[in-house]
Amino acid sequence: QVQPVESGGGSVQSGGSLRPPCGASGDTTRRQCMGWFRQGAGKERGGVAAIDSDGKILYADAGKGRFTISQDKAKNTQYLQMTSLKPEDTAMYYCAASAYYCSSWYALQRSTYTYWGQGTQVTVSS
């Protein structure tokens, strides 16, 4: 099993930045996909960015242009750098890990992921 743990959310003004980390404990020797998802009030949880098992970085529409995902393998930690934040980015942000190898399109699909963090709230005020 893998346990993702997010932190680093918070409240910022429009145009601000945040860089929440996601640490992973447990069996991280598998070539899992690691991804970030978000869920706003009254909305479904959707993909933001992911790193697939081959190291390919992918962005959903929600993450393109202003968000950057990165990974520090030595620390088993990934980061989601969020810049130029807007009020519509307000959501609970979740980090997730797949149980097995996955690649490309699958890395941005919620159904691919087995292990989820508890979420970290990001609130952007205008």
Side-chain angles (χ1 to χ4, degrees):
Q1 286 190 341
V2 176
Q3 182 58 58
V5 179
E6 315 93 335
S7 61
S11 297
V12 297
Q13 290 190 330
S14 182
S17 299
L18 287 171
R19 187 175 180 247
C22 172
S25 60
D27 183 7
T28 58
T29 60
R30 296 176 184 266
R31 293 175 64 195
Q32 298 102 334
C33 281
M34 296 291 292
W36 283 93
F37 291 74
R38 71 183 187 183
Q39 187 169 15
K43 298 181 180 179
E44 292 190 356
R45 191 176 302 185
V48 177
I51 301 175
D52 78 4
S53 298
D54 295 319
K56 181 179 179 180
I57 291 175
L58 303 103
Y59 293 98
D61 287 344
K64 288 179 180 177
R66 297 181 293 117
F67 294 2
T68 303
I69 189 172
S70 61
Q71 190 175 48
D72 184 335
K73 291 184 178 181
K75 295 181 179 180
N76 287 329
T77 300
Q78 62 168 306
Y79 302 89
L80 184 67
Q81 176 70 55
M82 301 185 288
T83 61
S84 301
L85 284 163
K86 304 175 181 179
E88 50 264 44
D89 295 317
T90 295
M92 186 72 81
Y93 283 73
Y94 296 92
C95 179
S98 66
Y100 302 103
Y101 174 94
C102 81
S103 67
S104 300
W105 179 83
Y106 294 95
L108 288 173
Q109 306 309 306
R110 180 179 175 181
S111 59
T112 295
Y113 292 88
T114 301
Y115 306 108
W116 292 84
Q118 79 286 354
T120 187
Q121 178 68 37
V122 172
T123 302
V124 185
S125 57
S126 57

